[in-house]
Amino acid sequence: MAQAKIQAKAATEGHNAGKFCRSVSMAARSNHLLEILDDLEVRVQAFRDAASALELERESLIEKIHSVQNSHDIRTISDGEREELLVTAERLMGRTLTVAVAVETIRNPQQESSLQQASMIIDEILKKVMDNLENGRKQLMGLYGACSSEVPAGPVDQKFQSIIIGCAIEDQKRIKRRLETLIRNIDNSEKSITLLEQQRQKSAFSLIHTKNL
């Protein structure tokens, strides 16, 4: 009888020991998998950041090529030189556009709606901006001020600010970059118009001076 009890106790202890070993083993595997996922989380974020950086570089290249194509300087050189430079710029633009980089943003319905509203407001201003560059720039500056996390120096479009807050963080950054680019393009356009006007005035003055002589 005593021997039977001892054997039963040993069997029970052995069974419990097996359970304990399995529990330890499962916990170890779980921790190992968790470590792998933590590492992948870091790598995925780094991957998205790298793709976003490439997206920014693509936008920057396109903007710079456009600025060369529409610069005042390119209109003041000889026809042969201008044609050669424009061909090169067009070739570079073509090569740049062959690279497609897209970082998709996960949005909820409210964020999707806010993005659409913000884009529509910007697009409406752009439809009229060429009719009045100065007024268009003021409006875009108001939108840009609404995107700033710091106290802006200029006016802030309160309506746009309430919309932009509802956008996903990544969309807020993209909209701010878009506004920066648009404002820069308007500034460049104003400079080109001013330079052309000065050039016309000089030409007119030269013509009058020559006639007087």
Side-chain angles (χ1 to χ4, degrees), residues 110 114 117 146 156-167:
Q110 180 185 349
S114 296
Q117 291 179 61
V156 174
D157 189 310
Q158 300 294 337
K159 179 184 175 183
F160 190 76
Q161 189 173 55
S162 65
I163 292 172
I164 204 74
I165 289 172
C167 293

Side-chain angles (χ1 to χ4, degrees), residues 36-208:
I36 291 175
L37 290 175
D38 286 342
D39 178 62
L40 288 172
E41 180 78 35
V42 173
R43 291 175 60 186
V44 166
Q45 187 57 49
F47 175 63
R48 286 179 62 85
D49 291 343
S52 295
L54 286 174
E55 198 173 38
L56 286 175
E57 178 64 11
R58 184 179 186 272
E59 291 175 6
S60 175
L61 287 170
I62 291 172
E63 183 184 352
K64 287 179 180 178
I65 294 170
H66 270 309
S67 69
V68 170
Q69 291 173 321
N70 299 302
S71 69
H72 171 72
D73 290 341
I74 206 164
R75 290 191 287 268
T76 59
I77 59 179
S78 69
D79 291 344
E81 290 174 323
R82 179 166 55 254
E83 182 179 357
E84 183 179 349
L85 291 173
L86 288 176
V87 167
T88 301
E90 192 63 33
R91 177 177 60 79
L92 292 173
M93 180 66 78
R95 291 185 65 191
T96 304
L97 294 177
T98 60
V99 179
V101 184
V103 180
E104 297 294 333
T105 301
I106 300 172
R107 309 179 185 92
N108 59 37
Q110 180 185 349
Q111 291 171 334
E112 189 72 43
S113 175
S114 296
L115 175 61
Q116 290 176 0
Q117 291 179 61
S119 298
M120 284 175 61
I121 291 174
I122 297 173
D123 291 341
E124 284 301 314
I125 293 175
L126 293 181
K127 287 178 184 177
K128 306 171 185 176
V129 73
M130 291 311 296
D131 296 332
N132 191 330
L133 286 177
E134 184 179 354
N135 185 55
R137 188 183 188 282
K138 284 181 181 178
Q139 289 181 292
L140 291 175
M141 284 298 296
L143 303 187
Y144 181 75
C147 298
S148 179
S149 57
E150 301 176 356
V151 179
V156 174
D157 189 310
Q158 300 294 337
K159 179 184 175 183
F160 190 76
Q161 189 173 55
S162 65
I163 292 172
I164 204 74
I165 289 172
C167 293
I169 297 298
E170 290 179 348
D171 288 329
Q172 291 180 25
K173 293 178 181 178
R174 288 194 185 99
I175 290 170
K176 186 177 181 181
R177 288 202 309 269
R178 183 187 179 193
L179 290 169
E180 286 175 346
T181 301
L182 290 171
I183 293 167
R184 212 163 33 240
N185 288 342
I186 289 176
D187 289 343
N188 291 335
S189 297
E190 288 179 335
K191 287 176 184 176
S192 295
I193 291 171
T194 301
L195 288 170
L196 283 172
E197 189 60 32
Q198 289 174 350
Q199 191 175 29
R200 289 194 193 99
Q201 289 175 358
K202 285 180 181 178
S203 297
F205 176 78
S206 241
L207 183 60
I208 293 171

